[in-house]
Amino acid sequence: MELSLATRAVGEHTVLEVGGEVDVYTAPRLRERLLELIDGGARHVVVDLGRVDFLDSTGLGVLVGALKRLRSAGGSFALVCDKEPLLKIFRITALDQVFPLHPTVDAAVGADPAGAGA
Amino acid sequence: MATVKLSFSPAPVHVRTARLVGVAVARRAGVREDLLDEVRLAIGEACTRAVALHRQYGLSDPVLVEMSDAGQYTVRVVDRAPVEASVGLAALPPDELANESLTDEALTTGVGFALLAGFVEDLQVRPVDEGIGTEVRMVWPVGR
């Protein structure tokens, strides 16, 4: 399935909904969109992986890149994921210790101090 | 025994095709349904790594994927990059993953290997028998 990307605002947060397959071929488009959002001023970004059915190391690399960029800009970055196969990927790579991972967008926004009251 | 061979020019767009074929052959070979996600991911990672190496070294040679169901499901992914390029592929500890100085390429390579090692119990990475290159060999049990 092709990569799909949709953006919406939840309070102070920018939520990027990703669907389909994120791999070595499609990951550059995800990187581009994240850079557009960050360059456009988004500082609190939540990436919703709820409709992703494949994620590889290239996609994980793009997500880490966004996390680093936002952290150095004083922002925040979180992921929404509740699918066991994807969660296993985060555990095996130890990236579950790097990313804030939440089961829902509401939980991700609520857990971020920037989201309080939003 | 059935063998399926796939050879593709080293472009990212073809990695998905290799994954689809690899999973189709695995299913046909009798690999357990609950292992197929891991087969898909591992073949994808091995092919992604081969494509990256070919591009890094400016090689237009095709990447070879060979799938065989002789007793077990064996997948070989063969690249033609100098063998020393494959050395030093180790999983990264968590505190290094978000390290500012780590390049995106190094991170992706490290994460890719962590996934291969984590998802494939029977994994070998070794120089090819003839010529230049490395073979990533992955084996899964067949549940028939």
Side-chain angles (χ1 to χ4, degrees):
Chain A
M1 190 183 138
E2 266 300 296
L3 180 76
S4 69
L5 299 168
T7 312
R8 63 188 169 101
V10 178
E12 294 295 305
H13 288 78
T14 304
V15 178
L16 177 60
E17 292 173 355
V18 185
E21 299 193 337
V22 186
D23 73 351
V24 63
Y25 179 58
T26 60
R29 274 165 51 210
L30 175 62
R31 178 187 291 120
E32 224 168 81
R33 178 63 67 88
L34 282 164
L35 286 179
E36 272 170 23
L37 291 175
I38 297 167
D39 291 347
R43 284 297 169 266
H44 303 286
V45 175
V46 173
V47 173
D48 183 354
L49 301 173
R51 284 166 44 240
V52 167
D53 34 48
F54 184 83
L55 177 67
D56 78 354
S57 58
T58 330
L60 291 168
V62 168
L63 296 174
V64 173
L67 170 85
K68 286 191 206 169
R69 198 170 275 259
L70 280 163
R71 270 193 189 159
S72 63
S76 66
F77 184 78
L79 297 176
V80 173
C81 177
D82 66 348
K83 284 185 184 171
E84 181 47 35
L86 287 187
L87 290 171
K88 189 171 178 186
I89 288 171
F90 285 100
R91 284 199 302 273
I92 281 179
T93 54
L95 285 168
D96 60 339
Q97 296 167 52
V98 172
F99 290 114
L101 279 160
H102 301 280
T104 63
V105 170
D106 283 351
V109 169
D112 186 355
Chain B
M1 171 186 161
T3 300
V4 176
K5 285 184 188 177
L6 171 72
S7 151
F8 65 91
S9 49
V13 69
H14 300 313
V15 171
R16 179 169 188 262
T17 305
R19 288 199 305 266
L20 292 172
V21 173
V23 169
V25 179
R27 185 174 276 129
R28 175 110 193 105
V31 174
R32 272 192 358 246
E33 201 68 24
D34 61 313
L35 289 177
L36 294 179
D37 270 349
E38 305 185 0
V39 170
R40 179 164 73 139
L41 187 70
I43 293 175
E45 291 299 336
C47 291
T48 296
R49 173 187 166 280
V51 168
L53 284 171
H54 279 221
R55 288 163 85 88
Q56 185 184 332
Y57 284 87
L59 304 168
S60 56
D61 310 55
V63 172
L64 173 71
V65 186
E66 192 181 285
M67 295 145 272
S68 152
D69 67 356
Q72 50 196 2
Y73 183 52
T74 305
V75 181
R76 292 169 62 233
V77 177
V78 179
D79 67 68
R80 291 293 165 196
V83 170
E84 61 265 34
S86 311
V87 177
L89 293 167
L92 296 165
D95 55 341
E96 274 186 34
L97 288 169
N99 191 310
E100 293 302 321
S101 60
L102 190 67
T103 65
D104 286 2
E105 291 76 21
L107 175 101
T108 302
T109 304
V111 166
F113 248 77
L115 289 174
L116 272 178
F119 279 118
V120 189
E121 268 180 41
D122 189 345
L123 171 73
Q124 287 179 39
V125 182
R126 62 185 184 197
V128 292
D129 291 336
E130 281 176 29
I132 296 167
T134 306
E135 159 186 322
V136 176
R137 185 173 177 276
M138 303 168 278
V139 181
W140 285 275
V142 173
R144 273 187 300 213

